[in-house]
Amino acid sequence: MQVNEQDIQNIVRSVLSEMTSSKPQASSSGSIPKTAKVSMLTGERKMEIMEFPIPEVGDDEILVKVEGCGICGTDVHEWKGDPFGIIPVVLGHEGTGEVIALGKNVKIDSAGNPIKVGDKLVTSVISCGHCNSCMLHPDQPHLCENQGIYGLIPNKNQALNGWFASHMLIRKGSTFFVVSELNLNQRMLLELAAVCVHAIGRAQSTGLLHFNSKVLLQGCGPVGLMMTAVLKANGINYIIALDGDTKRLEMAKRLGATKTVNFKEIPDLDARIADVKSVTNGVGVDFAFQCTGAPQAAADVYKFIRRGGGLCEMGFFVNNGDCTINPHFDLCNKEINLVGSWTYGAHEYPTTIAFLKQAEFMGLPIEDLITHRFPLDKMNEAMEVNVSMQGIKIAYVAE
């Protein structure tokens, strides 16, 4: 076949056009499906399976095939009563999955690592960049007044906004990280761990956490138990775990707690204080983390802390009500160093990934926190199990 110069030019143009087209990278596991299934929260305590078309992946977007997602207490609060007023919504923000389509402009993740089809991925919070907090305090992106997170975005023009789905579309401006080196359990626990990594950073800002510090961990739900592991990985060797559930207290010991206190066995507050002081030189702990979300616990925790000690309050991600403290005895007279902890910033994800690897190296059984796994069509049942506290960490895992 004879090929002239014009033919060659046409071939070159065709190749260049193909190379620069906006067509996303193809799926590594076959063709991209036409529709995705989601578990849509349509009313209080009512999640329904719905099916939506998968939109064309834009130049700055990523299509992810969901593999699993942890259920957060925030998800449960939204399922129970819609405190954020966002129904209908696809929940799930502790998710992970495989990249199956990649827009042509997406070359690296939010940490600067290369990304490709087939990689495992997680998302983080999204700061708006223009509110008062973002403009004046860019080093504190977690305080953004308009902060977004997949799983808490109302269903308006796009349904693939949360991880309780078969697929999710990650759009321009999002923060995301390649985590292919982590297994599924670790990836589903990463967001929870980020909450605790941020909290220990807040605590360390007081200058009160040292190798010889005695620390109280009040509340052994998923947050409290993960916090135990984060403390242990950071060299805190004396941790007192306080809860009313025997199994959770046993898990706290496996994750690094030195002593446990069961408030159901010691119902009197003064007796519990005496028990804690018996192992803290009679003065109380150096630092405490309050992780329960219970107003009475938030009031009690001050009593366990020594004068000059510190407290990190990280239990109230929704409004669970007020508590009463005595400002003189609980705060001023003791000169307590009090810090609050609110979510995390995307910049803390690399540190959290490093923590997960360190926990594995140390043999801390954080993956055992996941006690129940449910398919997409059983999400109402999963929520009920969570509310009844039958397990520790409940998760949706794709079939």
Side-chain angles (χ1 to χ4, degrees), residues 118-165:
D119 281 337
K120 309 298 184 180
L121 176 147
V122 295
T123 51
S124 186
V125 291
I126 310 163
S127 302
C128 73
H130 55 74
C131 70
N132 182 73
S133 184
C134 284
M135 296 296 289
L136 298 180
H137 307 285
D139 58 326
Q140 297 176 300
H142 58 290
L143 299 182
C144 169
E145 296 165 13
N146 305 302
Q147 188 178 84
I149 184 170
Y150 287 102
L152 292 173
I153 301 173
N155 174 35
K156 293 182 180 178
N157 299 322
Q158 172 57 254
L160 306 187
N161 290 325
W163 287 99
F164 292 169

Side-chain angles (χ1 to χ4, degrees), residues 376-388:
L376 194 63
D377 61 353
K378 299 292 184 183
M379 292 306 294
N380 287 301
E381 183 180 341
M383 292 291 185
E384 294 285 2
V385 170
N386 196 311
V387 170
S388 64

Side-chain angles (χ1 to χ4, degrees), residues 172-186:
K172 184 178 181 179
S174 303
T175 58
F176 55 88
F177 297 86
V178 174
V179 286
S180 300
E181 71 272 31
L182 302 179
N183 65 40
L184 177 58
N185 289 338
Q186 291 171 317

